[in-house]
Amino acid sequence: MDHRQQKSLLIDPGARARVWCKECGRELSDPISRSRRLGAECDPEPRNGYDRHDVDQDPIPGL
């Protein structure tokens, strides 16, 4: 009778789960990217480290 057993895989409970981008499939390391499940390049929301600045414009004449 064969008494060989497969070794169990040990998983470090302190390690964080690996998260991949939903669009491109790359592994994510940035906390914001990990929470959104989108990498910075694939995320449609701008996050450049500053607030977005919209400028009021006059309406186009004739419309």
Side-chain angles (χ1 to χ4, degrees):
M1 184 172 193
D2 194 6
H3 294 292
R4 291 183 291 170
Q5 290 183 339
Q6 181 179 2
K7 292 183 180 180
S8 62
L9 297 175
L10 299 177
I11 299 173
D12 182 11
R16 65 180 182 185
R18 296 173 75 181
V19 179
W20 289 270
C21 178
K22 290 189 291 187
E23 295 292 323
C24 67
R26 289 187 296 184
E27 188 172 0
L28 302 174
S29 59
D30 179 47
I32 296 172
S33 296
R34 291 172 57 84
S35 66
R36 294 182 182 184
R37 302 277 198 254
L38 287 170
E41 296 82 16
C42 299
D43 194 353
E45 294 287 324
R47 47 187 164 133
N48 303 346
Y50 57 88
D51 292 332
R52 184 175 170 176
H53 180 72
D54 292 327
V55 178
D56 292 332
Q57 295 181 348
D58 294 331
I60 298 174
L63 291 181

